[in-house]
Amino acid sequence: MSTVAENTAVSAAPPKPLMARINWVKLAPWLYTIALFVLWELLVIVLQTSPTVLPAPSRVFQAVAQYWSPIWKNSLQTLYTTTLGFAIAVAAGLALGILVGWSKAIYAGLYPLMVGFNAIPKVALVPILVIWYGIGTIPAVLTAFLISFFPIVVNVATGLATIEPETEDVLRALGAKKLDILLKVGIPRSMPYFFGSLKVAITLAFVGSVVSETVASNYGLGNMMSSAQSQFNVPLVFAGLLALAVEGIAMYALMAWIERRMTGWAHRSSMSH
Amino acid sequence: MPHLVSIDNVDMRYGGAGGTLAVSGLSLKVGKGEFAAVVGPSGCGKSTLMKLVTGLHIPQSGVVVVAGKQVTQPVSIVGMAFQNPTMLPWRTTLDNILLPLEIVDKHRRRLRAHRREYVEKAEHLLETVGLKGFGSKFPWQLSGGMQQRANLCRALIHEPELLMLDEPFGALDAFTREELWCVIRDLHAAQGVTIILVTHDLREATFLADRIFVMSARPGRVLKEHVVPFARPRALDVMYEKGFNDMVQELHGEIASARVAA
């Protein structure tokens, strides 16, 4: 979505009084989004593409209105599986990250395993999860969890591993135990890395839940889109994509907000130098 | 004068039997309340010396004795300050200074109940180094010189018997550095703490120290020991005296030849 592109060209406001009063940076996400839809609409008109290939945004919004009830219900289901999987990933990722960052031996032992595991496409795991738990909510939650916990682990472990040796020396010379250093320095220090990783993880969690719903579920946006596709209802497929984008942006914004609230010092301190 | 720190014929090798020999046959003694400076060519094992005295490293041979006890683990009666102030950015300056109290056994049990008393002490220290009223600021809101002052407060809050300074003023401009020399000089005079200062700056060493140890290139050992004759309290003007410059020049010559010998 173009809303991600902010702080760009328009920020250089022209000197005209009226134009100067508008906050272009604030407005830019909305303008870019509208521009994308307008371009898309024009493209469809000019190329005269069939709605079963590329429906115009007007057609997609029409589908949103027409199928509002199933879209709403399935969006909530997807949001539910995604956030649940994400929540498990946050807890497990934080715990495993601290464990990995705690000891060099654990780090050395687990890291290749995690890299290998991360390299496996998670869609390949869905059939296994279906064998274990049947189709539906649980595989979607677990896929969201499996795909999104890796960046959290890596970031927390990185934060712990990059403690300045001087800080450690100062504290160890005072008789600090490893646990003291972890609690007083390591964990607070890794928090900016942790909260930063949540933005990546939440978008990955959507990928996981939707993949699983598409392959093995009777609910959720993934399932809705795959059944719409089998009926050649392409506008509804695009309406589902739109709903996913909206959910993704909303959750990303929430994570960015939490990050700013929890670790504002990290942003301000890097700005002061 | 009883010795607070006594290092006797110490060898320290990093990374197992085939590793680098950082110091070899190192011996030096620092009396209680004394201000000692250690100078030498770069890579002469000055930082190793810091770690040996504080118990962060245990030597393979030889004996390190601090406050009458052989060092076999971190000694916890020391305060340390490095060139990099390493203030924790998520804590205010005051909370940074109080950090050692949350670690040192003697204080951590009392801290919660007697917080007021400790905060007063920290604020008094801040005043001593010229940072009165800055306790509530975050370290990243302070200049480099101010951070280094706060760093000194943190090194002193638990009333260490020994203060280890590893080039604490290296990254500062000349004027700030001279200001902080005076701060450290006054702290030493007022608190009676023993100080070991590791530095590359020979004028700094000569201005501040009672005794200067010149170290050889790696593997480091003490080549020469100088007693600094200037009376205390010393004003910055002492640096323009002939005797001062002669001493700096002599030190400079010794280090230059130590480098060549390496």
Side-chain angles (χ1 to χ4, degrees):
Chain A
M1 290 299 289
S2 67
T3 37
V4 187
E6 47 192 24
N7 302 334
T8 45
V10 266
S11 61
K16 281 185 216 153
L18 177 71
M19 299 294 275
R21 258 179 281 146
I22 301 171
N23 186 344
W24 290 105
V25 177
K26 274 237 159 96
L27 214 56
W30 305 101
L31 291 179
Y32 276 60
T33 310
I34 292 166
L36 173 76
F37 284 123
V38 170
L39 279 175
W40 178 1
E41 185 83 39
L42 288 175
L43 191 75
V44 171
I45 291 170
V46 170
L47 298 178
Q48 296 196 323
T49 55
S50 143
T52 52
V53 178
L54 179 65
S58 54
R59 186 74 190 75
V60 175
F61 286 120
Q62 203 184 320
V64 170
Q66 188 184 344
Y67 301 103
W68 178 251
S69 162
I71 290 175
W72 176 248
K73 234 172 51 199
N74 287 311
S75 292
L76 286 184
Q77 168 69 17
T78 299
L79 191 63
Y80 164 67
T81 54
T82 306
T83 44
L84 189 57
F86 174 71
I88 301 170
V90 168
L94 197 55
L96 194 60
I98 290 171
L99 190 71
V100 168
W102 171 261
S103 129
K104 285 211 167 67
I106 298 176
Y107 182 91
L110 279 184
Y111 206 78
L113 287 181
M114 289 199 302
V115 171
F117 183 76
N118 194 47
I120 298 172
K122 298 303 170 293
V123 65
L125 295 180
V126 175
I128 299 170
L129 294 173
V130 170
I131 292 172
W132 292 347
Y133 300 106
I135 63 164
T137 303
I138 294 176
V141 170
L142 289 179
T143 315
F145 155 64
L146 290 174
I147 204 169
S148 65
F149 100 116
F150 187 75
I152 301 177
V153 175
V154 171
N155 272 275
V156 172
T158 307
L160 290 175
T162 51
I163 298 175
E164 290 89 347
E166 289 98 338
T167 311
E168 239 183 305
D169 284 351
V170 167
L171 296 180
R172 277 180 52 214
L174 295 171
K177 303 280 175 292
K178 215 171 166 183
L179 187 65
D180 291 323
I181 294 173
L182 182 75
L183 293 176
K184 304 281 180 202
V185 184
I187 290 180
R189 197 179 180 292
S190 63
M191 284 301 106
Y193 296 85
F194 167 67
F195 286 110
S197 74
L198 296 190
K199 292 188 292 189
V200 180
I202 186 69
T203 38
L204 285 175
F206 274 106
V207 173
S209 59
V210 171
V211 158
S212 174
E213 285 169 359
T214 307
V215 182
S217 180
N218 295 324
Y219 311 101
L221 285 173
N223 170 253
M224 185 193 83
M225 287 189 292
S226 74
S227 41
Q229 179 245 355
S230 64
Q231 295 154 17
F232 293 103
N233 190 349
V234 180
L236 181 55
V237 175
F238 274 83
L241 292 175
L242 202 62
L244 269 177
V246 169
E247 284 187 8
I249 291 170
M251 292 306 283
Y252 184 96
L254 179 65
M255 293 309 136
W257 180 78
I258 292 174
E259 182 190 12
R260 266 201 315 279
R261 281 296 301 269
M262 303 302 286
T263 54
W265 58 265
H267 300 275
R268 280 172 299 178
S269 64
S270 60
M271 269 158 62
S272 74
H273 288 292
Chain B
M1 190 161 46
H3 292 132
L4 183 70
V5 177
S6 146
I7 299 177
D8 199 17
N9 204 20
V10 158
D11 286 4
M12 178 71 209
R13 188 190 287 279
Y14 289 110
T20 340
L21 193 59
V23 298
S24 174
L26 178 69
S27 298
L28 64 84
K29 288 181 168 47
V30 178
K32 202 163 171 48
E34 203 176 15
F35 197 136
V38 178
V39 299
S42 58
C44 68
K46 288 177 294 200
S47 299
T48 306
L49 172 74
M50 296 271 296
K51 291 186 176 175
L52 286 169
V53 174
T54 50
L56 292 174
H57 287 331
I58 308 302
Q60 277 93 8
S61 74
V63 180
V64 180
V65 176
V66 174
K69 267 184 281 184
Q70 186 175 346
V71 175
T72 52
Q73 59 176 29
V75 287
S76 87
I77 58 151
V78 293
M80 289 174 105
F82 294 92
Q83 177 171 337
N84 173 1
T86 64
M87 295 270 124
L88 307 178
W90 56 90
R91 285 170 168 245
T92 62
T93 304
L94 186 73
D95 285 338
N96 263 293
I97 293 170
L98 294 175
L99 178 66
L101 303 175
E102 297 169 24
I103 304 291
V104 176
D105 259 338
K106 189 169 67 166
H107 297 287
R108 69 193 298 173
R109 295 198 200 95
R110 301 184 69 231
L111 182 61
R112 192 160 299 179
H114 299 77
R115 200 179 152 82
R116 275 265 304 276
E117 169 195 327
Y118 284 116
V119 167
E120 261 165 43
K121 200 161 114 191
E123 271 163 359
H124 176 72
L125 268 177
L126 278 171
E127 197 178 337
T128 321
V129 300
L131 279 182
K132 189 175 161 64
F134 283 92
S136 58
K137 292 257 190 291
F138 284 94
W140 35 271
Q141 295 171 314
L142 306 180
S143 69
M146 289 160 102
Q147 284 190 37
Q148 201 51 271
R149 288 164 199 253
N151 192 14
L152 289 175
C153 293
R154 184 178 64 182
L156 289 167
I157 186 72
H158 58 294
E159 294 176 347
E161 290 179 56
L162 177 64
L163 184 58
M164 304 289 295
L165 304 174
D166 190 353
E167 298 217 39
F169 315 125
L172 304 175
D173 68 273
F175 287 103
T176 311
R177 204 181 305 158
E178 288 184 2
E179 251 172 64
L180 283 176
W181 290 353
C182 295
V183 167
I184 215 64
R185 171 198 67 192
D186 297 342
L187 283 172
H188 176 244
Q191 313 224 345
V193 60
T194 309
I195 302 180
I196 298 181
L197 167 73
V198 165
T199 181
H200 279 118
D201 186 336
L202 303 178
R203 293 169 72 242
E204 176 175 302
T206 314
F207 175 67
L208 286 171
D210 299 314
R211 219 134 47 103
I212 302 177
F213 297 94
V214 181
M215 282 182 73
S216 70
R218 175 170 296 177
R221 64 194 162 81
V222 174
L223 284 179
K224 200 152 184 225
E225 198 178 315
H226 295 266
V227 174
V228 183
F230 313 112
R232 291 183 185 276
R234 294 173 193 161
L236 285 170
D237 291 343
V238 78
M239 289 192 286
Y240 302 103
E241 284 174 19
K242 188 172 177 316
F244 188 94
N245 280 319
D246 288 346
M247 180 143 204
V248 171
Q249 202 171 0
E250 194 185 341
L251 289 168
H252 189 274
E254 286 168 14
I255 292 171
S257 53
R259 279 166 59 103
V260 172

